[in-house]
Amino acid sequence: AATPAAPRAPEEWGLGEADVRVHTDECSELGRVGRLSCSGCLSKLATLPLEGPRCGRALVALGCVEDDSVPAAVARRWRATYQDWHPGSGASWWSAQPSPGGELLAARTGEAKGGCACGACTFVAAIFPGDLQHCYCKLCRRLSGAASMTWVPASNDTFRWTRTEGLKLVRTTRHGQRHFCMKCGSCLTIVYDSQPDCTWPVAGALDDDSLKEQSWYR
């Protein structure tokens, strides 16, 4: 029998004609802001403070900056000099540590909730105690606007969407697809072709209040 052709995704994939889109929300540090993203591929571009002393400036999302365009001296400075805004509001999983000795943890039992920035797309998934995967590829950096994107695996038996307004599954690479909210541009999951029974939610989309105290993420 003939081998099925591999799924195709364009090298520079997109959703059609591109323009800059703005999602307005609140930042604990900056107040009201406009989040700029590309309507064609949903890459995160910048944050525009709309009030306060930084109004009129643009805070560029470094995930979209070309590596070779950053002077070495500037890169070294950025690694050593930066500001933490509202560290107490950071995700609990960001500083999580593996179990002593690296022993395997029990099967997933507890559910976490998550969703997009505007609330149009929400989900629940059994991810405890679970694993974390940080991806530093260029696509993950551009879609998050950050230095990496973090994923948490969940069996499709325990993952379900609870709100799907604006939800769209898009093929972004030859080996996987991602769920996006088309209203606010949030990237919510990745689904690998090699793991059709598993959905990987974006850890940044998890609701902190739904992460149990006894979980690995605390």
Side-chain angles (χ1 to χ4, degrees):
T3 302
R8 299 183 62 187
E11 290 186 7
E12 297 296 335
W13 72 277
L15 299 170
E17 199 169 320
D19 200 353
V20 175
R21 58 189 292 172
V22 181
H23 171 68
T24 303
D25 63 7
E26 294 288 326
C27 170
S28 298
E29 175 69 22
L30 301 171
R32 195 165 61 94
V33 297
R35 313 281 190 184
L36 272 59
S37 62
C38 172
S39 64
C41 66
L42 303 181
S43 292
K44 308 306 179 286
L45 303 172
T47 294
L48 302 180
L50 300 178
E51 60 188 18
R54 296 185 180 86
C55 183
R57 301 173 63 184
L59 304 179
V60 176
L62 286 183
C64 282
V65 173
E66 293 289 344
D67 294 341
D68 57 7
S69 71
V70 180
V74 174
R76 288 193 295 270
R77 180 184 176 188
W78 284 347
R79 286 196 294 266
T81 306
Y82 56 87
Q83 295 180 354
D84 277 331
W85 288 351
H86 287 265
S89 300
S92 56
W93 49 263
W94 184 249
S95 58
Q97 296 293 323
S99 299
E103 67 269 16
L104 294 176
L105 300 176
R108 292 166 175 76
T109 55
E111 282 190 339
K113 298 178 181 179
C116 65
C118 71
C121 301
T122 58
F123 61 83
V124 294
I127 61 172
F128 303 129
D131 314 304
L132 289 175
Q133 170 186 288
H134 301 301
C135 183
Y136 301 89
C137 78
K138 182 177 289 188
L139 182 57
C140 279
R141 284 186 284 155
R142 286 180 171 174
L143 290 177
S144 66
S148 65
M149 188 174 273
T150 301
W151 309 97
V152 187
S155 167
N156 287 346
D157 293 339
T158 63
F159 180 96
R160 69 182 186 278
W161 294 102
T162 52
R163 191 172 180 187
T164 58
E165 192 179 339
L167 186 68
K168 186 171 184 177
L169 180 63
V170 179
R171 175 162 295 281
T172 54
T173 66
R174 287 178 177 271
H175 58 269
Q177 305 177 80
R178 303 180 196 227
H179 285 99
F180 292 91
C181 173
M182 303 307 293
K183 289 181 172 292
C184 64
S186 295
C187 179
L188 295 168
T189 77
I190 192 168
V191 182
Y192 295 107
D193 296 336
S194 60
Q195 298 176 325
D197 58 346
C198 183
T199 296
W200 293 67
V202 179
L206 298 176
D207 295 337
D208 292 339
D209 292 343
S210 71
L211 299 181
K212 296 183 178 181
E213 292 292 337
Q214 71 270 24
S215 84
W216 190 89
Y217 305 105
R218 293 285 187 179

